[in-house]
PDB file of all heavy atoms in Angstrom:
ATOM      1  N   ILE A  11      -0.526  18.406  17.890  1.00  0.00           N
ATOM      2  CA  ILE A  11      -1.685  17.632  18.530  1.00  0.00           C
ATOM      3  C   ILE A  11      -2.966  17.868  17.775  1.00  0.00           C
ATOM      4  O   ILE A  11      -3.694  16.960  17.472  1.00  0.00           O
ATOM      5  CB  ILE A  11      -1.945  18.036  20.072  1.00  0.00           C
ATOM      6  CG1 ILE A  11      -0.790  17.475  20.878  1.00  0.00           C
ATOM      7  CG2 ILE A  11      -3.218  17.318  20.507  1.00  0.00           C
ATOM      8  CD1 ILE A  11      -0.509  16.061  20.883  1.00  0.00           C
ATOM      9  N   ALA A  12      -3.222  19.126  17.393  1.00  0.00           N
ATOM     10  CA  ALA A  12      -4.416  19.277  16.454  1.00  0.00           C
ATOM     11  C   ALA A  12      -4.387  18.589  15.178  1.00  0.00           C
ATOM     12  O   ALA A  12      -5.296  18.076  14.647  1.00  0.00           O
ATOM     13  CB  ALA A  12      -4.502  20.872  16.220  1.00  0.00           C
ATOM     14  N   THR A  13      -3.164  18.541  14.543  1.00  0.00           N
ATOM     15  CA  THR A  13      -3.036  17.820  13.280  1.00  0.00           C
ATOM     16  C   THR A  13      -3.346  16.345  13.584  1.00  0.00           C
ATOM     17  O   THR A  13      -3.964  15.614  12.786  1.00  0.00           O
ATOM     18  CB  THR A  13      -1.531  17.974  12.743  1.00  0.00           C
ATOM     19  OG1 THR A  13      -1.445  19.263  12.441  1.00  0.00           O
ATOM     20  CG2 THR A  13      -1.466  17.109  11.384  1.00  0.00           C
ATOM     21  N   TRP A  14      -2.789  15.852  14.612  1.00  0.00           N
ATOM     22  CA  TRP A  14      -2.956  14.345  14.928  1.00  0.00           C
ATOM     23  C   TRP A  14      -4.543  14.064  15.187  1.00  0.00           C
ATOM     24  O   TRP A  14      -5.040  13.179  14.740  1.00  0.00           O
ATOM     25  CB  TRP A  14      -2.146  13.978  16.182  1.00  0.00           C
ATOM     26  CG  TRP A  14      -2.394  12.636  16.687  1.00  0.00           C
ATOM     27  CD1 TRP A  14      -2.123  11.460  16.158  1.00  0.00           C
ATOM     28  CD2 TRP A  14      -3.148  12.347  17.925  1.00  0.00           C
ATOM     29  NE1 TRP A  14      -2.563  10.506  16.886  1.00  0.00           N
ATOM     30  CE2 TRP A  14      -3.167  10.845  17.983  1.00  0.00           C
ATOM     31  CE3 TRP A  14      -3.754  13.147  19.003  1.00  0.00           C
ATOM     32  CZ2 TRP A  14      -3.714  10.259  19.091  1.00  0.00           C
ATOM     33  CZ3 TRP A  14      -4.281  12.412  20.000  1.00  0.00           C
ATOM     34  CH2 TRP A  14      -4.474  10.946  20.056  1.00  0.00           C
ATOM     35  N   VAL A  15      -5.177  14.837  16.092  1.00  0.00           N
ATOM     36  CA  VAL A  15      -6.518  14.841  16.297  1.00  0.00           C
ATOM     37  C   VAL A  15      -7.256  14.817  15.024  1.00  0.00           C
ATOM     38  O   VAL A  15      -8.153  14.053  14.800  1.00  0.00           O
ATOM     39  CB  VAL A  15      -7.060  15.986  17.286  1.00  0.00           C
ATOM     40  CG1 VAL A  15      -8.555  16.039  17.229  1.00  0.00           C
ATOM     41  CG2 VAL A  15      -6.512  15.662  18.660  1.00  0.00           C
ATOM     42  N   ALA A  16      -6.973  15.694  14.096  1.00  0.00           N
ATOM     43  CA  ALA A  16      -7.631  15.812  12.857  1.00  0.00           C
ATOM     44  C   ALA A  16      -7.539  14.570  11.967  1.00  0.00           C
ATOM     45  O   ALA A  16      -8.653  14.083  11.515  1.00  0.00           O
ATOM     46  CB  ALA A  16      -7.126  17.027  12.005  1.00  0.00           C
ATOM     47  N   VAL A  17      -6.517  14.062  11.814  1.00  0.00           N
ATOM     48  CA  VAL A  17      -6.328  12.841  10.939  1.00  0.00           C
ATOM     49  C   VAL A  17      -6.855  11.646  11.587  1.00  0.00           C
ATOM     50  O   VAL A  17      -7.472  10.715  10.926  1.00  0.00           O
ATOM     51  CB  VAL A  17      -4.808  12.515  10.511  1.00  0.00           C
ATOM     52  CG1 VAL A  17      -4.210  13.777   9.788  1.00  0.00           C
ATOM     53  CG2 VAL A  17      -3.917  12.209  11.773  1.00  0.00           C
ATOM     54  N   VAL A  18      -6.882  11.528  12.975  1.00  0.00           N
ATOM     55  CA  VAL A  18      -7.507  10.356  13.526  1.00  0.00           C
ATOM     56  C   VAL A  18      -9.059  10.620  13.486  1.00  0.00           C
ATOM     57  O   VAL A  18      -9.821   9.521  13.246  1.00  0.00           O
ATOM     58  CB  VAL A  18      -7.056  10.254  15.111  1.00  0.00           C
ATOM     59  CG1 VAL A  18      -7.853   9.214  15.838  1.00  0.00           C
ATOM     60  CG2 VAL A  18      -5.568  10.158  15.160  1.00  0.00           C
ATOM     61  N   GLN A  19      -9.503  11.766  13.738  1.00  0.00           N
ATOM     62  CA  GLN A  19     -10.960  11.990  13.640  1.00  0.00           C
ATOM     63  C   GLN A  19     -11.587  11.641  12.368  1.00  0.00           C
ATOM     64  O   GLN A  19     -12.553  11.013  12.098  1.00  0.00           O
ATOM     65  CB  GLN A  19     -11.278  13.473  14.022  1.00  0.00           C
ATOM     66  CG  GLN A  19     -12.717  13.901  14.011  1.00  0.00           C
ATOM     67  CD  GLN A  19     -13.391  13.459  15.322  1.00  0.00           C
ATOM     68  OE1 GLN A  19     -12.666  13.178  16.299  1.00  0.00           O
ATOM     69  NE2 GLN A  19     -14.680  13.456  15.538  1.00  0.00           N
ATOM     70  N   ILE A  20     -10.947  12.152  11.236  1.00  0.00           N
ATOM     71  CA  ILE A  20     -11.486  11.895   9.963  1.00  0.00           C
ATOM     72  C   ILE A  20     -11.283  10.482   9.536  1.00  0.00           C
ATOM     73  O   ILE A  20     -12.220   9.769   8.918  1.00  0.00           O
ATOM     74  CB  ILE A  20     -10.813  12.789   8.854  1.00  0.00           C
ATOM     75  CG1 ILE A  20     -10.786  14.228   9.237  1.00  0.00           C
ATOM     76  CG2 ILE A  20     -11.338  12.527   7.445  1.00  0.00           C
ATOM     77  CD1 ILE A  20      -9.946  15.144   8.212  1.00  0.00           C
ATOM     78  N   GLN A  21     -10.211   9.759   9.902  1.00  0.00           N
ATOM     79  CA  GLN A  21     -10.006   8.339   9.518  1.00  0.00           C
ATOM     80  C   GLN A  21     -11.071   7.572  10.311  1.00  0.00           C
ATOM     81  O   GLN A  21     -11.498   6.525   9.696  1.00  0.00           O
ATOM     82  CB  GLN A  21      -8.647   7.822   9.903  1.00  0.00           C
ATOM     83  CG  GLN A  21      -8.336   6.521   9.412  1.00  0.00           C
ATOM     84  CD  GLN A  21      -8.467   5.413  10.367  1.00  0.00           C
ATOM     85  OE1 GLN A  21      -8.960   5.700  11.550  1.00  0.00           O
ATOM     86  NE2 GLN A  21      -8.167   4.177   9.983  1.00  0.00           N
ATOM     87  N   ALA A  22     -11.497   7.979  11.483  1.00  0.00           N
ATOM     88  CA  ALA A  22     -12.519   7.076  12.086  1.00  0.00           C
ATOM     89  C   ALA A  22     -13.800   7.076  11.396  1.00  0.00           C
ATOM     90  O   ALA A  22     -14.502   6.068  11.469  1.00  0.00           O
ATOM     91  CB  ALA A  22     -12.663   7.645  13.596  1.00  0.00           C
ATOM     92  N   ARG A  23     -13.951   8.230  10.823  1.00  0.00           N
ATOM     93  CA  ARG A  23     -15.298   8.304  10.009  1.00  0.00           C
ATOM     94  C   ARG A  23     -15.098   7.651   8.574  1.00  0.00           C
ATOM     95  O   ARG A  23     -16.072   6.840   8.302  1.00  0.00           O
ATOM     96  CB  ARG A  23     -15.669   9.718   9.776  1.00  0.00           C
ATOM     97  CG  ARG A  23     -16.876   9.990   8.901  1.00  0.00           C
ATOM     98  CD  ARG A  23     -17.086  11.521   8.748  1.00  0.00           C
ATOM     99  NE  ARG A  23     -18.165  11.730   7.784  1.00  0.00           N
ATOM    100  CZ  ARG A  23     -18.585  12.925   7.444  1.00  0.00           C
ATOM    101  NH1 ARG A  23     -18.257  13.901   8.161  1.00  0.00           N
ATOM    102  NH2 ARG A  23     -19.365  13.011   6.402  1.00  0.00           N
ATOM    103  N   SER A  24     -14.040   7.963   7.875  1.00  0.00           N
ATOM    104  CA  SER A  24     -13.940   7.395   6.561  1.00  0.00           C
ATOM    105  C   SER A  24     -12.445   7.514   6.166  1.00  0.00           C
ATOM    106  O   SER A  24     -11.901   8.626   5.954  1.00  0.00           O
ATOM    107  CB  SER A  24     -14.643   8.042   5.540  1.00  0.00           C
ATOM    108  OG  SER A  24     -14.315   7.816   4.151  1.00  0.00           O
ATOM    109  N   PRO A  25     -11.620   6.408   6.061  1.00  0.00           N
ATOM    110  CA  PRO A  25     -10.309   6.446   5.565  1.00  0.00           C
ATOM    111  C   PRO A  25     -10.127   7.105   4.150  1.00  0.00           C
ATOM    112  O   PRO A  25      -9.276   7.814   3.877  1.00  0.00           O
ATOM    113  CB  PRO A  25      -9.900   5.064   5.514  1.00  0.00           C
ATOM    114  CG  PRO A  25     -10.690   4.225   6.531  1.00  0.00           C
ATOM    115  CD  PRO A  25     -12.041   4.943   6.484  1.00  0.00           C
ATOM    116  N   GLY A  26     -11.153   6.787   3.320  1.00  0.00           N
ATOM    117  CA  GLY A  26     -11.134   7.436   1.998  1.00  0.00           C
ATOM    118  C   GLY A  26     -11.289   8.850   2.105  1.00  0.00           C
ATOM    119  O   GLY A  26     -10.648   9.617   1.284  1.00  0.00           O
ATOM    120  N   LEU A  27     -12.053   9.416   3.005  1.00  0.00           N
ATOM    121  CA  LEU A  27     -12.226  10.826   3.092  1.00  0.00           C
ATOM    122  C   LEU A  27     -10.915  11.503   3.476  1.00  0.00           C
ATOM    123  O   LEU A  27     -10.540  12.579   3.150  1.00  0.00           O
ATOM    124  CB  LEU A  27     -13.490  11.119   4.111  1.00  0.00           C
ATOM    125  CG  LEU A  27     -13.737  12.555   4.284  1.00  0.00           C
ATOM    126  CD1 LEU A  27     -14.035  13.474   3.004  1.00  0.00           C
ATOM    127  CD2 LEU A  27     -14.739  12.772   5.416  1.00  0.00           C
ATOM    128  N   LEU A  28     -10.228  10.877   4.517  1.00  0.00           N
ATOM    129  CA  LEU A  28      -9.023  11.443   4.992  1.00  0.00           C
ATOM    130  C   LEU A  28      -7.980  11.370   3.842  1.00  0.00           C
ATOM    131  O   LEU A  28      -7.340  12.381   3.602  1.00  0.00           O
ATOM    132  CB  LEU A  28      -8.463  10.614   6.042  1.00  0.00           C
ATOM    133  CG  LEU A  28      -7.046  10.999   6.662  1.00  0.00           C
ATOM    134  CD1 LEU A  28      -7.103  12.465   7.018  1.00  0.00           C
ATOM    135  CD2 LEU A  28      -6.691  10.131   7.797  1.00  0.00           C
ATOM    136  N   LEU A  29      -7.945  10.355   3.054  1.00  0.00           N
ATOM    137  CA  LEU A  29      -6.936  10.287   1.809  1.00  0.00           C
ATOM    138  C   LEU A  29      -7.297  11.499   1.006  1.00  0.00           C
ATOM    139  O   LEU A  29      -6.384  12.135   0.418  1.00  0.00           O
ATOM    140  CB  LEU A  29      -7.214   8.990   1.066  1.00  0.00           C
ATOM    141  CG  LEU A  29      -6.177   8.751  -0.019  1.00  0.00           C
ATOM    142  CD1 LEU A  29      -4.774   8.863   0.464  1.00  0.00           C
ATOM    143  CD2 LEU A  29      -6.402   7.517  -0.622  1.00  0.00           C
ATOM    144  N   ALA A  30      -8.585  11.618   0.658  1.00  0.00           N
ATOM    145  CA  ALA A  30      -9.067  12.723  -0.231  1.00  0.00           C
ATOM    146  C   ALA A  30      -8.593  14.088   0.300  1.00  0.00           C
ATOM    147  O   ALA A  30      -8.151  15.064  -0.380  1.00  0.00           O
ATOM    148  CB  ALA A  30     -10.576  12.641  -0.452  1.00  0.00           C
ATOM    149  N   MET A  31      -8.704  14.208   1.680  1.00  0.00           N
ATOM    150  CA  MET A  31      -8.415  15.577   2.215  1.00  0.00           C
ATOM    151  C   MET A  31      -6.928  15.804   2.251  1.00  0.00           C
ATOM    152  O   MET A  31      -6.335  16.839   1.926  1.00  0.00           O
ATOM    153  CB  MET A  31      -8.940  15.741   3.672  1.00  0.00           C
ATOM    154  CG  MET A  31     -10.322  15.747   3.875  1.00  0.00           C
ATOM    155  SD  MET A  31     -10.911  17.348   3.288  1.00  0.00           S
ATOM    156  CE  MET A  31     -12.624  17.415   3.884  1.00  0.00           C
ATOM    157  N   MET A  32      -6.099  14.781   2.510  1.00  0.00           N
ATOM    158  CA  MET A  32      -4.644  14.963   2.590  1.00  0.00           C
ATOM    159  C   MET A  32      -4.101  15.200   1.139  1.00  0.00           C
ATOM    160  O   MET A  32      -3.138  15.786   0.843  1.00  0.00           O
ATOM    161  CB  MET A  32      -3.927  13.616   3.036  1.00  0.00           C
ATOM    162  CG  MET A  32      -4.138  13.454   4.543  1.00  0.00           C
ATOM    163  SD  MET A  32      -3.174  12.256   5.441  1.00  0.00           S
ATOM    164  CE  MET A  32      -3.746  10.702   4.593  1.00  0.00           C
ATOM    165  N   ALA A  33      -4.881  14.494   0.110  1.00  0.00           N
ATOM    166  CA  ALA A  33      -4.449  14.713  -1.318  1.00  0.00           C
ATOM    167  C   ALA A  33      -4.552  16.063  -1.768  1.00  0.00           C
ATOM    168  O   ALA A  33      -3.811  16.559  -2.642  1.00  0.00           O
ATOM    169  CB  ALA A  33      -5.308  13.838  -2.219  1.00  0.00           C
ATOM    170  N   ILE A  34      -5.348  16.986  -1.122  1.00  0.00           N
ATOM    171  CA  ILE A  34      -5.428  18.394  -1.377  1.00  0.00           C
ATOM    172  C   ILE A  34      -3.981  18.970  -1.163  1.00  0.00           C
ATOM    173  O   ILE A  34      -3.525  19.664  -2.056  1.00  0.00           O
ATOM    174  CB  ILE A  34      -6.382  19.129  -0.536  1.00  0.00           C
ATOM    175  CG1 ILE A  34      -7.808  18.619  -0.841  1.00  0.00           C
ATOM    176  CG2 ILE A  34      -6.360  20.621  -0.731  1.00  0.00           C
ATOM    177  CD1 ILE A  34      -8.881  19.179   0.200  1.00  0.00           C
ATOM    178  N   VAL A  35      -3.463  18.654  -0.108  1.00  0.00           N
ATOM    179  CA  VAL A  35      -2.077  19.168   0.243  1.00  0.00           C
ATOM    180  C   VAL A  35      -1.088  18.676  -0.766  1.00  0.00           C
ATOM    181  O   VAL A  35      -0.154  19.382  -1.246  1.00  0.00           O
ATOM    182  CB  VAL A  35      -1.696  18.883   1.622  1.00  0.00           C
ATOM    183  CG1 VAL A  35      -0.228  19.132   1.918  1.00  0.00           C
ATOM    184  CG2 VAL A  35      -2.655  19.514   2.606  1.00  0.00           C
ATOM    185  N   TRP A  36      -1.126  17.494  -1.038  1.00  0.00           N
ATOM    186  CA  TRP A  36      -0.181  16.854  -1.931  1.00  0.00           C
ATOM    187  C   TRP A  36      -0.233  17.429  -3.353  1.00  0.00           C
ATOM    188  O   TRP A  36       0.796  17.588  -4.053  1.00  0.00           O
ATOM    189  CB  TRP A  36      -0.202  15.261  -1.905  1.00  0.00           C
ATOM    190  CG  TRP A  36       0.060  14.668  -0.556  1.00  0.00           C
ATOM    191  CD1 TRP A  36       0.667  15.159   0.503  1.00  0.00           C
ATOM    192  CD2 TRP A  36      -0.646  13.372  -0.143  1.00  0.00           C
ATOM    193  NE1 TRP A  36       0.652  14.237   1.530  1.00  0.00           N
ATOM    194  CE2 TRP A  36      -0.229  13.198   1.160  1.00  0.00           C
ATOM    195  CE3 TRP A  36      -1.494  12.489  -0.662  1.00  0.00           C
ATOM    196  CZ2 TRP A  36      -0.618  12.228   2.023  1.00  0.00           C
ATOM    197  CZ3 TRP A  36      -1.947  11.340   0.095  1.00  0.00           C
ATOM    198  CH2 TRP A  36      -1.480  11.216   1.377  1.00  0.00           C
ATOM    199  N   ILE A  37      -1.410  17.460  -3.870  1.00  0.00           N
ATOM    200  CA  ILE A  37      -1.662  18.101  -5.187  1.00  0.00           C
ATOM    201  C   ILE A  37      -1.135  19.490  -5.216  1.00  0.00           C
ATOM    202  O   ILE A  37      -0.496  19.961  -6.147  1.00  0.00           O
ATOM    203  CB  ILE A  37      -3.143  18.000  -5.544  1.00  0.00           C
ATOM    204  CG1 ILE A  37      -3.503  16.470  -5.839  1.00  0.00           C
ATOM    205  CG2 ILE A  37      -3.506  18.903  -6.792  1.00  0.00           C
ATOM    206  CD1 ILE A  37      -5.012  16.301  -6.059  1.00  0.00           C
ATOM    207  N   ALA A  38      -1.455  20.292  -4.150  1.00  0.00           N
ATOM    208  CA  ALA A  38      -0.968  21.733  -4.160  1.00  0.00           C
ATOM    209  C   ALA A  38       0.475  21.800  -4.091  1.00  0.00           C
ATOM    210  O   ALA A  38       1.085  22.606  -4.884  1.00  0.00           O
ATOM    211  CB  ALA A  38      -1.563  22.304  -2.849  1.00  0.00           C
ATOM    212  N   ASP A  39       1.039  20.947  -3.336  1.00  0.00           N
ATOM    213  CA  ASP A  39       2.626  21.018  -3.314  1.00  0.00           C
ATOM    214  C   ASP A  39       3.153  20.639  -4.546  1.00  0.00           C
ATOM    215  O   ASP A  39       4.170  21.260  -5.072  1.00  0.00           O
ATOM    216  CB  ASP A  39       3.019  19.934  -2.148  1.00  0.00           C
ATOM    217  CG  ASP A  39       4.593  19.969  -1.989  1.00  0.00           C
ATOM    218  OD1 ASP A  39       5.050  21.177  -1.719  1.00  0.00           O
ATOM    219  OD2 ASP A  39       5.264  19.057  -2.144  1.00  0.00           O
ATOM    220  N   THR A  40       2.706  19.526  -5.238  1.00  0.00           N
ATOM    221  CA  THR A  40       3.262  19.046  -6.485  1.00  0.00           C
ATOM    222  C   THR A  40       3.138  20.174  -7.551  1.00  0.00           C
ATOM    223  O   THR A  40       4.048  20.418  -8.451  1.00  0.00           O
ATOM    224  CB  THR A  40       2.537  17.808  -6.927  1.00  0.00           C
ATOM    225  OG1 THR A  40       2.733  16.838  -5.909  1.00  0.00           O
ATOM    226  CG2 THR A  40       3.139  17.248  -8.218  1.00  0.00           C
ATOM    227  N   ALA A  41       1.829  20.658  -7.712  1.00  0.00           N
ATOM    228  CA  ALA A  41       1.487  21.575  -8.777  1.00  0.00           C
ATOM    229  C   ALA A  41       2.392  22.964  -8.526  1.00  0.00           C
ATOM    230  O   ALA A  41       2.935  23.476  -9.456  1.00  0.00           O
ATOM    231  CB  ALA A  41       0.055  22.122  -8.707  1.00  0.00           C
ATOM    232  N   ALA A  42       2.500  23.308  -7.233  1.00  0.00           N
ATOM    233  CA  ALA A  42       3.289  24.481  -6.959  1.00  0.00           C
ATOM    234  C   ALA A  42       4.841  24.282  -7.462  1.00  0.00           C
ATOM    235  O   ALA A  42       5.454  25.235  -7.970  1.00  0.00           O
ATOM    236  CB  ALA A  42       3.355  24.940  -5.430  1.00  0.00           C
ATOM    237  N   TYR A  43       5.416  23.052  -7.189  1.00  0.00           N
ATOM    238  CA  TYR A  43       6.700  22.802  -7.626  1.00  0.00           C
ATOM    239  C   TYR A  43       6.898  22.841  -9.160  1.00  0.00           C
ATOM    240  O   TYR A  43       7.845  23.635  -9.591  1.00  0.00           O
ATOM    241  CB  TYR A  43       7.116  21.492  -7.036  1.00  0.00           C
ATOM    242  CG  TYR A  43       8.487  21.011  -7.556  1.00  0.00           C
ATOM    243  CD1 TYR A  43       9.654  21.528  -6.911  1.00  0.00           C
ATOM    244  CD2 TYR A  43       8.546  20.075  -8.565  1.00  0.00           C
ATOM    245  CE1 TYR A  43      10.855  21.097  -7.324  1.00  0.00           C
ATOM    246  CE2 TYR A  43       9.842  19.632  -8.984  1.00  0.00           C
ATOM    247  CZ  TYR A  43      11.081  20.112  -8.339  1.00  0.00           C
ATOM    248  OH  TYR A  43      12.252  19.741  -8.790  1.00  0.00           O
ATOM    249  N   PHE A  44       6.029  22.162  -9.847  1.00  0.00           N
ATOM    250  CA  PHE A  44       6.265  22.135 -11.300  1.00  0.00           C
ATOM    251  C   PHE A  44       5.898  23.443 -12.071  1.00  0.00           C
ATOM    252  O   PHE A  44       6.485  23.896 -12.835  1.00  0.00           O
ATOM    253  CB  PHE A  44       5.421  20.995 -11.880  1.00  0.00           C
ATOM    254  CG  PHE A  44       6.004  19.623 -11.492  1.00  0.00           C
ATOM    255  CD1 PHE A  44       5.513  18.818 -10.704  1.00  0.00           C
ATOM    256  CD2 PHE A  44       7.104  19.280 -12.283  1.00  0.00           C
ATOM    257  CE1 PHE A  44       6.093  17.471 -10.386  1.00  0.00           C
ATOM    258  CE2 PHE A  44       7.831  18.052 -11.928  1.00  0.00           C
ATOM    259  CZ  PHE A  44       7.230  17.061 -11.078  1.00  0.00           C
ATOM    260  N   VAL A  45       4.724  24.115 -11.452  1.00  0.00           N
ATOM    261  CA  VAL A  45       4.457  25.447 -12.162  1.00  0.00           C
ATOM    262  C   VAL A  45       5.473  26.413 -11.821  1.00  0.00           C
ATOM    263  O   VAL A  45       5.793  27.161 -12.739  1.00  0.00           O
ATOM    264  CB  VAL A  45       3.025  25.833 -11.694  1.00  0.00           C
ATOM    265  CG1 VAL A  45       2.674  27.207 -12.238  1.00  0.00           C
ATOM    266  CG2 VAL A  45       1.976  24.927 -12.224  1.00  0.00           C
ATOM    267  N   GLY A  46       5.867  26.370 -10.529  1.00  0.00           N
ATOM    268  CA  GLY A  46       6.919  27.322 -10.126  1.00  0.00           C
ATOM    269  C   GLY A  46       8.189  27.225 -11.090  1.00  0.00           C
ATOM    270  O   GLY A  46       8.901  28.169 -11.386  1.00  0.00           O
ATOM    271  N   ARG A  47       8.576  25.949 -11.230  1.00  0.00           N
ATOM    272  CA  ARG A  47       9.828  25.611 -12.001  1.00  0.00           C
ATOM    273  C   ARG A  47       9.707  26.182 -13.455  1.00  0.00           C
ATOM    274  O   ARG A  47      10.666  26.701 -14.110  1.00  0.00           O
ATOM    275  CB  ARG A  47      10.209  24.135 -12.026  1.00  0.00           C
ATOM    276  CG  ARG A  47      10.806  23.729 -10.735  1.00  0.00           C
ATOM    277  CD  ARG A  47      11.429  22.364 -10.814  1.00  0.00           C
ATOM    278  NE  ARG A  47      12.538  22.353 -11.844  1.00  0.00           N
ATOM    279  CZ  ARG A  47      13.259  21.310 -12.050  1.00  0.00           C
ATOM    280  NH1 ARG A  47      12.941  20.048 -11.582  1.00  0.00           N
ATOM    281  NH2 ARG A  47      14.224  21.508 -12.892  1.00  0.00           N
ATOM    282  N   ARG A  48       8.429  26.017 -14.098  1.00  0.00           N
ATOM    283  CA  ARG A  48       8.307  26.324 -15.421  1.00  0.00           C
ATOM    284  C   ARG A  48       7.932  27.865 -15.692  1.00  0.00           C
ATOM    285  O   ARG A  48       8.468  28.483 -16.560  1.00  0.00           O
ATOM    286  CB  ARG A  48       7.098  25.445 -15.914  1.00  0.00           C
ATOM    287  CG  ARG A  48       6.785  25.794 -17.385  1.00  0.00           C
ATOM    288  CD  ARG A  48       7.963  25.587 -18.347  1.00  0.00           C
ATOM    289  NE  ARG A  48       7.568  25.835 -19.691  1.00  0.00           N
ATOM    290  CZ  ARG A  48       7.619  27.024 -20.329  1.00  0.00           C
ATOM    291  NH1 ARG A  48       8.083  28.092 -19.550  1.00  0.00           N
ATOM    292  NH2 ARG A  48       7.278  27.209 -21.575  1.00  0.00           N
TER     293      ARG A  48
END
């Protein structure tokens, strides 16, 4: 529920801001995968 409240709250203010915040997670996951493999 907290995750849901968070993404709804941020999107209500700015969809672009929510996308930027979620991208933090996606970038971290992608970098961890490729750096870890190498």
